Amino acid sequence: MFTGLFAGFLLGVLVLEMSLRDYGAAVYTQVRQVELDSLDTLASATLIPALICTVILAVLTFRARGNDRWLVLAALAMLALVFVTSLAVNLPINGDQTDWSVQSPPSDWASVRDRWQIAHAIRAVAALLAFCSLTAAAIIRTARRRTTVGAGRVPIDA
């Protein structure tokens, strides 16, 4: 659930950011500062639980030796990519942009915007892939349980 919320949040921000590409430095700076007011908090409130839940799920699926364990591991890898990209690229830029002047943004504002948006697109795609992997793992696990229980056997991981 947290991974889906986080992926949806990142996709919403990506749409907003792509919409800003047609505007100048002052508009971009002002909107970014409004975004930075609370969106970092929302990102943390969804990414951290998504990571924790996925780590727990990965441990449980590897113990159960289900066919879905590689999908869960892939989801965990994608969320780790999101986390590393955020720490290495997005958060440092966010910190710099909070100090930008709306009336006089830095001369390299467009290249900074482009770096942030490329890193954000990577994060959004990785989060979406993580959510899809977890969804596929849940479908496989549910189908396996129905088949096992329907055949009169008790599932191993029940």
Side-chain angles (χ1 to χ4, degrees), residues 68 70-72 74-75 78 128-138:
D68 55 339
W70 300 111
L71 289 168
V72 175
M78 291 293 104
L128 183 60
L129 289 173
F131 179 63
C132 290
S133 292
L134 290 172
T135 302

Side-chain angles (χ1 to χ4, degrees), residues 38-84:
S38 297
L39 290 185
D40 282 351
T41 303
L42 180 58
S44 297
T46 52
L47 175 58
I48 293 169
L51 277 166
I52 292 168
C53 291
T54 305
V55 166
I56 292 168
L57 185 60
V59 169
L60 293 174
T61 56
F62 267 84
R63 284 185 182 166
R65 301 184 189 278
N67 294 336
D68 55 339
R69 66 181 180 237
W70 300 111
L71 289 168
V72 175
L73 190 60
L76 185 58
M78 291 293 104
L79 290 175
L81 174 63
V82 168
F83 188 73
V84 169

Side-chain angles (χ1 to χ4, degrees), residues 17 21 25 28 89 93 97 100 105-119:
E17 285 288 327
R21 293 193 64 81
Y28 175 78
V89 180
I93 291 173
Q97 287 178 334
W100 285 7
S107 58
D108 66 341
W109 75 273
S111 66
V112 173
R113 174 202 63 199
D114 293 347
R115 270 187 312 156
W116 191 94
Q117 288 178 345
I118 288 168

